Amino acid sequence: MSENSKKYILITAALIVIGVALYFFYWMRTPQYTFTQINQAVQQHDLSKFEKHVDLDSLYAHAYDDVVYYAFGDPKQANPFLLGIVQSLKNVVVPIMTAQTQHYVETGSVDGNAPASGTDSGATPAPAPKSEGQQLAEQLRDKTGFGNMRYEGVESTEQVGKTADVAVKLYDKQLDHRFILKVKMFELDDGSWRLTEITNLKELLKEREEATAARLKELNSKVQTELDASVQAKPGTIAVDSSGGWFPSYTLQSTFSVQNVSGKTISGLQGFVEIFDNEGMLLQRSPFKEYLSLAPQAGVTLSKTFSLNQFKPETVRLLRSDTAALKWQVVISNVTFSDGGSLQLLTQLPKI
């Protein structure tokens, strides 16, 4: 091989090395690369790396506002007193969500609650009753599918200066459904990026709610056909009552009829009274259970009273609605027959 050929090969190799180095230098300073770092941090349980690239306090502060807006509608139209109660819990819920996420990154598990501030992290003999803040944190976690989502890459990035809008592909293994998560990121001093906000959370919540309902309907299709051939429920009346006073409590009064259309005696019923707004958003799902002896082709009228949790954003939206304009239904989820047989719907998606 001639000297000129050797020089040509060496120069070419050097250019390739320089090109690869420049590419990786550029790639490591992009929002896309940051998501690979976030994903690695979760897989490796590296909380320090995760928190460098995800501002949990900012993320959940924005998320809480979006969930409240999604559940209430326009806050300007909400009852100021009830809205104020829910918004006052923000400073409680955000730290709980942050602690739960840190626990997930460190352990890979969404089970178990992080210890409350100022308490011993050692084992406790029994779990304490959950506060309103803890209940809201769990609702937020469940609504967003936290722990079920799998990262599948970045779909697109729009960068303007030190900010970037990024569309991320996620797969929910429980729903068998793909989502696009849109987030806002800011560039750090070392050229890497940090996620601070989900910008399409309200749309994502609606899409996930619809996907959950569709998945449950699919899983329940066979049992639902058998239930429809056994029992029929017809809505009657609903009303919301208040105890009055400065700190009122609220109850939902519901009357509906049930008809046994099977050839067997029914000995027990379980189900839900579900209330929706005009856009189809579920505002309230109240469970009921009834033990009775309902002969074939016989009917009965049931009256139920349900306590309402005014700390739930959806319930607040219900309380400020005109009940006469709301849509509602009675769902029979479980029927027990006197011969020992039963039919039962799934009321939540099975864990994977």
Side-chain angles (χ1 to χ4, degrees), residues 208-247:
R208 193 170 192 281
E209 186 175 289
E210 292 172 348
T212 300
R215 182 62 174 155
L216 277 173
K217 184 176 181 180
E218 177 187 350
L219 294 174
N220 283 324
S221 59
K222 181 179 179 180
V223 176
Q224 185 66 66
T225 300
E226 296 176 352
L227 274 173
D228 292 342
S230 300
V231 63
Q232 295 177 353
K234 184 178 180 181
T237 61
I238 58 169
V240 174
D241 290 337
S242 168
S243 66
W246 284 102
F247 299 99

Side-chain angles (χ1 to χ4, degrees), residues 66-85:
D66 284 344
V67 170
V68 170
Y69 189 98
Y70 173 74
F72 275 82
D74 187 350
K76 295 179 182 178
Q77 300 177 13
N79 181 303
F81 174 74
L82 295 175
L83 179 61
I85 291 175

Side-chain angles (χ1 to χ4, degrees), residues 89-109:
L89 290 171
K90 179 177 180 179
N91 291 335
V92 177
V93 174
V94 170
I96 292 174
M97 289 298 298
T98 297
Q100 288 179 344
T101 304
Q102 292 168 334
H103 175 77
Y104 174 74
V105 173
E106 289 183 314
T107 67
S109 172

Side-chain angles (χ1 to χ4, degrees), residues 15-281:
L15 289 174
I16 291 173
V17 170
I18 292 171
V20 170
L22 288 175
Y23 171 78
F24 276 103
F25 178 75
Y26 164 77
W27 167 246
M28 291 173 66
R29 298 169 69 89
T30 63
Q32 294 97 315
Y33 178 74
T34 294
F35 271 99
T36 67
Q37 294 294 97
I38 294 172
N39 190 47
Q40 285 180 7
V42 174
Q43 298 299 321
Q44 298 168 358
H45 307 301
D46 188 340
L47 181 60
S48 178
K49 179 191 287 189
F50 183 86
E51 290 190 317
K52 175 183 178 181
H53 297 298
V54 181
D55 186 338
L56 288 172
D57 289 337
S58 174
L59 180 70
Y60 285 130
H62 285 98
Y64 186 89
D65 292 339
D66 284 344
V67 170
V68 170
Y69 189 98
Y70 173 74
F72 275 82
D74 187 350
K76 295 179 182 178
Q77 300 177 13
N79 181 303
F81 174 74
L82 295 175
L83 179 61
I85 291 175
V86 176
Q87 289 180 330
S88 70
L89 290 171
K90 179 177 180 179
N91 291 335
V92 177
V93 174
V94 170
I96 292 174
M97 289 298 298
T98 297
Q100 288 179 344
T101 304
Q102 292 168 334
H103 175 77
Y104 174 74
V105 173
E106 289 183 314
T107 67
S109 172
V110 297
D111 296 324
N113 294 321
S117 176
T119 64
D120 186 356
S121 60
T124 55
K130 294 176 182 177
S131 67
E132 289 85 359
Q134 289 172 320
Q135 292 177 38
L136 277 175
E138 288 187 2
Q139 292 164 23
L140 177 58
R141 186 184 72 186
D142 293 341
K143 284 180 180 296
T144 55
F146 177 81
N148 293 322
M149 297 287 196
R150 183 178 72 205
Y151 170 70
E152 292 196 334
V154 173
E155 181 177 75
S156 64
T157 303
E158 294 183 11
Q159 182 177 337
V160 179
K162 288 184 171 292
T163 65
D165 293 310
V166 184
V168 182
K169 295 180 288 187
L170 298 175
Y171 173 70
D172 189 314
K173 57 187 178 183
Q174 189 179 42
L175 290 175
D176 189 23
H177 187 89
R178 284 176 170 79
F179 297 92
I180 296 297
L181 181 74
K182 296 181 180 179
V183 302
K184 186 173 289 296
M185 304 182 75
F186 288 89
E187 188 176 9
L188 301 175
D189 291 339
D190 64 0
S192 62
W193 293 76
R194 197 179 200 201
L195 189 158
T196 60
E197 180 185 355
I198 299 172
T199 57
N200 70 329
L201 184 56
K202 293 189 288 292
E203 294 80 7
L204 194 69
L205 289 171
K206 183 173 180 61
E207 182 181 355
R208 193 170 192 281
E209 186 175 289
E210 292 172 348
T212 300
R215 182 62 174 155
L216 277 173
K217 184 176 181 180
E218 177 187 350
L219 294 174
N220 283 324
S221 59
K222 181 179 179 180
V223 176
Q224 185 66 66
T225 300
E226 296 176 352
L227 274 173
D228 292 342
S230 300
V231 63
Q232 295 177 353
K234 184 178 180 181
T237 61
I238 58 169
V240 174
D241 290 337
S242 168
S243 66
W246 284 102
F247 299 99
S249 60
Y250 297 88
T251 57
L252 174 68
Q253 313 290 333
S254 174
T255 301
F256 53 92
S257 61
V258 176
Q259 183 81 20
N260 181 357
V261 293
S262 74
K264 299 188 292 185
T265 298
I266 293 176
S267 59
L269 294 170
Q270 293 183 47
F272 300 89
V273 172
E274 296 182 333
I275 303 177
F276 304 85
D277 66 10
N278 292 328
E279 298 178 355
M281 177 182 174

